[in-house]
Amino acid sequence: MADFDYDLFVIGGGSGGVRAARVAAATGARVALAEDSRMGGTCVIRGCVPKKLMVFASEYRETCADARAYGWDVTAGDFDWSRFASQLNAELDRLEGVYRKLLQGSDVEIFDARARLADAHSVTLSDGTTKTAKHILIATGGRPVRPDMPNAHLGMVSDDLFQMTSLPKSMLIVGGGYIACEFACILNGLGVEVTQFYRGAQILRGFDEEARGLIADQMQEGGVDLHLGTDIVEMTPAGGVGVQVKGSNGMDRAYDAVLFATGRAPNTTDMGLEDLGVDIGRRGEIVVDRFSQTAVPSIYAIGDVTNRVNLTPVAIREAMAFVETVFKGTPTPVDHDLIPSAVFTQPEFGTIGLSEEDARDLEPVEIYCTSFRPMRSAFAGRADRVLMKLVVSKATRKILGCHIVAPNAGEMIQLAGIAVKMGATKEDFDRTVAVHPTMSEELVTMKTPVRMA
Ligand code: NDP
């Protein structure tokens, strides 16, 4: 065997890279990991975790209002961003420490440095040293991108949100994807006056249309000033602070801040990949096979840098499958089918499988759907609606898609997702006794299809 410094060199200390390094080291492999930013990556430092804590923070105003309807003598005061931000930063510091300790406890050698590929078995670190490894795993994730337009630098991206020293009074959010919609709801809940521009006909493109429509309606009712079919025509610095924005809908006004939530790009630039013969796709992603192997046999890639399904739990699955394949001798492809996920809008959206639109393009389906005012908020006098929807194959009776718009829909879809992944039929759902009184009981009590398609 050639004499390498390590059996595995991982580039990137996010969810995928850290998991792969730890699990590979547990097989007895000599493992090193380089990270040029904070350990934990997007999910822990500037994504899922701080975002979810901000979701919690943003919900208290409404909770306080509801509490009054339930007889409690409470009034929500003002939200103190700096108090929340210092608590948030302390929590992120703690989590970063946990990730670092996990790696150290697994005997993974950590380099706080940027790594660049030098050849198929070696990386050069920003401290000038070169390390060799039998296998190299690229798990460098992605980064938010601004649109290519004049003065785009005046806008923030999602990374910047967690660094704000104070909350803006008004904000324009551009985009209609996960990040745009989640932050529109969060910032609205924290008391920011939120305007959202989305260039398409409806937010959350690709998801079930009925669910998208309900979320958009509820976001607007909740106070988000959502403009569909709208884009920025021009943005310039406003007098004093802020940004003056002309919209394609004729709006022309100043905002304290603009957030571009216009997508993310894989971190593949200036890594020496093309020179080595690693294939890079149209969106800048590393092209891999189903075992996460690149065109260079010793180099693998997992997570957002491969732009397959850009979710933390998927990157972790890809990490586990990589270790099974390379270090345990069991070639293991990752199953990217029927992945449950949630969008943390208000109301929350939990989803698995095919939308009604995608399913009916494939085969005849029955649609079971109900929308109603949930007990808790109806009692408090709110007009919120929830939606429970099942897309059922006429031929096999299997549940092809399950879509839930409701408080805690993320928690619900995790459980419903097990049944759907197991191949449950509509009749399996019907045979399950309802848990009463809950919102999700509707999933097992819908008797008649609302549509056949
Ligand atoms: P998305 O790709 O989901 O959304 C990008 C949005 O920006 C789309 O609405 C797109 O419009 C719009 N857009 C793109 N370019 C422009 C432009 N030049 N001008 C105006 N609008 C533009 O990206 P996100 O950044 O929201 O999220 C990235 C990924 O991160 C997600 O796909 C998801 O995998 C992951 N994520 C998951 C979360 C979760 O699980 N809860 C939370 C956050 C992120 P159009 O639709 O017309 O293309």
Side-chain angles (χ1 to χ4, degrees):
M1 191 181 90
D3 196 13
F4 297 113
D5 297 332
Y6 303 100
D7 299 309
L8 174 65
F9 198 100
V10 180
I11 307 178
S15 306
V18 168
R19 177 61 65 94
R22 287 174 48 209
V23 184
T27 67
R30 295 165 305 153
V31 182
L33 181 146
E35 167 60 58
D36 68 346
S37 179
R38 297 180 65 182
M39 203 62 78
T42 300
C43 171
V44 177
I45 304 296
R46 49 195 166 265
C48 323
V49 172
K51 180 273 306 285
K52 189 83 189 270
L53 291 168
M54 285 178 78
V55 170
F56 292 145
S58 73
E59 287 173 341
Y60 281 99
R61 199 168 44 139
E62 201 165 69
T63 305
C64 284
D66 285 2
R68 291 186 68 79
Y70 279 91
W72 289 92
D73 189 12
V74 288
T75 317
D78 285 336
F79 174 68
D80 183 344
W81 169 260
S82 56
R83 188 143 50 93
F84 170 72
S86 63
Q87 181 88 2
L88 177 67
N89 286 329
E91 177 62 2
L92 299 186
D93 288 346
R94 186 186 73 80
L95 289 172
E96 186 181 0
V98 168
Y99 268 70
R100 209 169 265 280
K101 278 209 187 80
L102 283 171
L103 286 170
Q104 286 160 343
S106 308
D107 288 330
V108 173
E109 192 169 348
I110 300 173
F111 294 98
D112 291 296
R114 186 173 165 78
R116 197 175 187 284
L117 284 124
D119 63 43
H121 292 284
S122 52
V123 298
T124 307
L125 300 179
S126 44
D127 63 9
T129 58
T130 295
K131 309 289 172 195
T132 60
K134 186 171 183 205
H135 303 284
I136 296 171
L137 179 68
I138 303 170
T140 47
R143 64 182 186 287
V145 288
R146 288 177 173 78
D148 183 14
M149 60 179 287
N151 285 332
H153 67 278
L154 297 174
M156 302 196 277
V157 292
S158 59
D159 290 358
D160 305 321
L161 283 169
F162 308 111
Q163 310 297 330
M164 291 188 299
T165 49
S166 61
L167 270 189
K169 283 202 169 54
S170 62
M171 183 183 272
L172 171 66
I173 298 182
V174 185
Y178 284 75
I179 296 181
C181 295
E182 289 182 347
F183 277 106
C185 295
I186 290 169
L187 291 160
N188 177 54
L190 295 178
V192 178
E193 182 207 324
V194 175
T195 306
Q196 185 178 357
F197 283 1
Y198 174 50
R199 63 185 180 182
Q202 186 54 279
I203 57 167
L204 296 172
R205 182 164 62 84
F207 291 109
D208 187 86
E209 260 175 39
E210 217 167 358
R212 297 161 71 193
L214 179 62
I215 295 165
D217 288 350
Q218 300 271 291
M219 281 172 61
Q220 280 167 310
E221 265 170 43
V224 175
D225 187 17
L226 173 63
H227 296 262
L228 298 171
T230 304
D231 218 339
I232 293 183
V233 173
E234 184 185 278
M235 62 191 283
T236 49
V241 284
V243 189
Q244 186 74 31
V245 177
K246 279 188 192 159
S248 58
N249 58 353
M251 277 174 84
D252 187 356
R253 60 159 287 190
Y255 301 89
D256 286 347
V258 173
L259 170 72
F260 285 116
T262 46
R264 296 176 61 85
N267 281 329
T268 48
T269 41
D270 193 29
M271 288 191 63
L273 293 165
E274 291 95 333
D275 304 343
L276 287 183
V278 172
D279 282 346
I280 304 290
R282 211 167 46 87
R283 292 166 178 268
E285 76 279 14
I286 297 181
V287 180
V288 290
D289 68 10
R290 53 197 202 105
F291 300 104
S292 300
Q293 191 172 30
T294 71
V296 179
S298 58
I299 302 177
Y300 288 73
I302 55 166
D304 287 8
V305 75
T306 62
N307 198 29
R308 286 176 281 182
V309 180
N310 298 335
L311 299 170
T312 279
V314 176
I316 290 172
R317 288 291 169 114
E318 289 166 0
M320 302 295 278
F322 159 76
V323 174
E324 282 293 328
T325 303
V326 176
F327 290 95
K328 297 190 182 174
T330 317
T332 307
V334 177
D335 177 5
H336 287 107
D337 192 31
L338 286 174
I339 294 170
S341 69
V343 186
F344 293 96
T345 38
Q346 294 164 26
E348 213 166 288
F349 180 31
T351 180
I352 183 168
L354 298 174
S355 65
E356 175 178 343
E357 297 71 39
D358 287 346
R360 74 181 178 214
D361 283 349
L362 294 177
E363 59 177 296
V365 287
E366 288 178 0
I367 305 301
Y368 295 82
C369 188
T370 177
S371 181
F372 56 95
R373 292 177 70 196
M375 196 188 217
R376 185 184 180 121
S377 55
F379 182 85
R382 280 196 275 130
D384 297 13
R385 298 192 75 77
V386 304
L387 176 123
M388 304 277 160
K389 180 166 182 176
L390 294 174
V391 181
V392 178
S393 162
K394 257 186 168 169
T396 66
R397 308 297 301 150
K398 279 190 182 171
I399 310 287
L400 302 175
C402 175
H403 312 287
I404 303 173
V405 179
N408 297 315
E411 305 289 349
M412 294 184 211
I413 204 67
Q414 178 68 82
L415 302 178
I418 300 170
V420 175
K421 184 79 185 167
M422 288 175 73
T425 61
K426 177 68 174 69
E427 286 64 36
D428 291 326
F429 272 52
D430 293 345
R431 282 192 292 115
T432 307
V433 173
V435 177
H436 185 72
T438 64
M439 290 178 281
S440 51
E441 67 180 301
E442 298 289 334
L443 286 176
V444 297
T445 54
M446 293 186 285
K447 293 285 173 255
T448 319
V450 291
R451 284 183 292 285
M452 311 272 195

